[in-house]
């Protein structure tokens, strides 16, 4: 009887721990050419029936629409491009495991790292829920989440990578 009870307890413990294995919280900070700065909140990531569920709880961002992406490397530090230090370049490019080289949005067949646009309200807050149908939490582990200064048209025209501009906030998915 004791062995069966212990087995049941172990099974329940494993079930409980696996229930949380498919979700992570990413702490986000503002970034600039010097590195990471002030904390702006977090983004909860969880596997859902329709793909990756993204729940931002962010403050201190400029109002409006912002490009939001998964980047290749787990590093939010600055890098150098064309002889000039720039925010977040250590994160590399958009996560593109199939090497498509295309920017087609979260439902397209291009970069897997194209997330739905992040909408920030007049008070600088981004909350609510987004879904990325082609991703799972496991795809984000060891990568970074990046918020760009401007919106994203999910095209490489007229500007590359949706025209979102500079990188303004970042967090590493553990």
């Amino acid at each position: 009887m004791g062995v069966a009870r212990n087995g049941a307890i172990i099974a329940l413990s494993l079930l409980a721990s696996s229930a949380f294995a498919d979700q992570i919280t990413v702490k986000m900070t503002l970034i600039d050419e010097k590195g990471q700065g002030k904390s702006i909140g977090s983004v909860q990531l969880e596997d859902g029936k329709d793909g990756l569920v993204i729940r931002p709880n962010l403050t201190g961002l400029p109002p409006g629409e912002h490009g939001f992406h998964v980047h290749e490397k787990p590093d939010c530090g600055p890098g150098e491009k064309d002889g000039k230090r720039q925010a977040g370049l250590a994160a590399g490019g958009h996560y593109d495991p199939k090497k498509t080289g295309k920017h087609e949005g979260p439902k397209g067949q291009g970069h897997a790292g194209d997330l739905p646009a992040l909408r920030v309200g007049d008070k600088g807050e981004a909350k609510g829920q987004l879904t990325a149908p082609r991703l799972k939490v496991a795809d984000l582990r060891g990568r970074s989440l990046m918020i760009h200064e401007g919106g994203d048209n999910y095209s490489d025209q007229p500007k590359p990578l949706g025209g979102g501009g500079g990188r303004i906030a970042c967090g590493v998915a553990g």
Side-chain angles (χ1 to χ4, degrees):
M1 188 84 150
V3 172
R5 183 172 181 261
N6 287 343
I9 291 170
I10 290 170
L12 284 173
S13 295
L14 288 172
L15 255 171
S17 65
S18 68
F20 297 103
D22 61 351
Q23 71 178 28
I24 55 176
T25 299
V26 179
K27 295 181 187 305
M28 301 291 289
T29 61
L30 294 175
I31 58 174
D32 62 21
E33 69 282 352
K34 296 174 191 162
Q36 290 183 265
K38 177 183 163 191
S39 172
I40 58 168
S42 63
V43 176
Q44 180 78 34
L45 305 169
E46 181 177 346
D47 288 337
K49 66 179 177 81
D50 295 324
L52 181 71
V53 177
I54 304 162
R55 291 186 186 94
N57 186 13
L58 303 169
T59 61
L61 289 166
E65 187 173 290
H66 297 272
F68 193 30
H69 306 103
V70 178
H71 282 248
E72 301 171 314
K73 299 174 186 170
D75 190 341
C76 294
E80 194 170 308
K81 183 176 179 181
D82 300 327
K84 185 177 176 187
R85 283 178 63 87
Q86 295 183 20
L89 287 186
H94 293 180
Y95 174 55
D96 189 14
K98 293 184 179 179
K99 309 281 185 239
T100 67
K102 297 177 183 175
H103 186 68
E104 297 181 351
K107 294 180 182 176
Q109 296 304 309
H111 303 150
D114 288 346
L115 299 176
L118 185 68
R119 286 177 177 74
V120 178
D122 292 340
K123 295 181 181 176
E125 296 179 342
K127 299 191 185 289
Q129 181 174 305
L130 308 167
T131 302
R134 298 185 301 139
L135 292 171
K136 295 182 185 269
V137 168
D139 298 322
L140 276 76
R141 291 191 188 278
R143 306 201 186 288
S144 56
L145 278 180
M146 190 71 64
I147 300 171
H148 292 263
E149 65 185 350
D152 190 336
N153 69 4
Y154 303 118
S155 173
D156 288 316
Q157 300 298 327
K159 294 182 180 179
L161 301 173
R167 302 169 183 196
I168 63 168
C170 182
V172 173

